[in-house]
Amino acid sequence: MDLTASGAISVPATKSGARGLAAASFVLAGTLLSLTGLTWDIQWHDDVGPDTFFTLPHLFLYSGSAVAGIASLIVVLRTTAATRKGKQVDPMVGGRAVGVFGRTFAAPVGYLVSGTGAAMFLLYGLWDQWWHSLYGFDAVISSPPHIGLLLSITVTMVGAVMVFAVARGERWGKFGTIGSLAVLTGFSMVTVIGLSEIDAGIVNTVVVGTAFFSVLTVIMGAEVIGRPGGALGVALSLAAIQAVFWWFSPWAAETYASMVGLPLRDNVDNVPDMPAMMPMSLILVAVAVELVRRFGTGRALAALGGTIGGLIVTGLQPVQRAWIYGAHLPPASSMIATIVAGGVFGALSGFLGWRFGVMLRQLAPAKENSDA
């Protein structure tokens, strides 16, 4: 994979912006479809039971990857055609083009990542269908093909963040970056479920993982936007997603079960599973990050903001769960150990969030970078 020539923008700014917005919007819409399908599918497993390959929640998951993948493919093919004709490629649309398969294709780097994730999803989807043909109903989310599917969607969501980060100098680029980071944060909540398999003694690894991923994306948002409001924008966007899914998940599971003639489980509590995983304390984390950034930027301050964020999430996440489910708080020893681990991993996520944010800023064209 090597860089191809990429010159100045050769189309009017308004036309360039319209093209960039249209393509990026389809990728973001695809990730939202996938997130909707996932929260619906998790609720279905909890409220109704096992499922087969062809269910409505699964179709949302598949459609999301298809929409993002087709949009990415169209951009890659258009960029390849323009490059072969000797035309200058607009770096505002997905970033500078890179040569793929010996320069057979010229792919803007953001769309290369999102398209690769979609292609991986197709392969894992075929594996999932074969898996269902062997074992029938699927009762768990942690089957091997499911893990591959979830990782593939995550890659596509990372590509969506990259696509919008390229255009962060535009208003739509800023809002898209914030929105795509919020979608990535929400989707990462299912990833942390796998951390429950790690034996860390009295430390709650799921809570620590929740803090790590959520603080990471909040600090990335602050760094990419580079102005006050980036961190808070990610947190507020996630809160909006959480609020919508809080109503949607139980309603969709019950309505679909009624449509296909399946009963709900006897112990249904009407608690939306995936939205309940999302930290409600993230707005406090964002406020803390914004206050820390008033003293400047850099790895040390990012790590400080991450530490504070990690302490907030790990301290309040057990309280959130106890409130939602009417359960008891974990033992004090477990909470203290988890909070300490949250501070340590929060510092790491703060540093990584700063580093990844800097990398995303470098995707923007040179002129836009110099103005930032």
Side-chain angles (χ1 to χ4, degrees), residues 276-327:
M277 302 177 199
M278 301 176 186
M280 298 178 180
S281 59
L282 203 58
I283 293 178
L284 295 177
V285 174
V287 171
V289 170
E290 297 282 2
L291 291 175
V292 169
R293 286 180 60 85
R294 287 180 176 271
F295 296 97
T297 58
R299 67 185 71 185
L301 288 173
L304 174 60
T307 301
I308 297 172
L311 294 173
I312 292 174
V313 175
T314 50
L316 294 182
Q317 199 68 5
V319 177
Q320 173 181 320
R321 181 174 179 81
W323 172 61
I324 291 173
Y325 291 97

Side-chain angles (χ1 to χ4, degrees), residues 203-219 279 281-289 292 301-319 334-351:
V203 175
N204 189 323
T205 53
V206 173
V207 171
V208 174
T210 299
F212 178 85
F213 282 109
S214 57
V215 171
L216 175 71
T217 52
V218 164
I219 292 182
S281 59
L282 203 58
I283 293 178
L284 295 177
V285 174
V287 171
V289 170
V292 169
L301 288 173
L304 174 60
T307 301
I308 297 172
L311 294 173
I312 292 174
V313 175
T314 50
L316 294 182
Q317 199 68 5
V319 177
S334 176
M335 284 195 66
I336 292 173
T338 301
I339 290 172
V340 171
V344 173
F345 280 93
L348 176 61
S349 67
F351 169 76

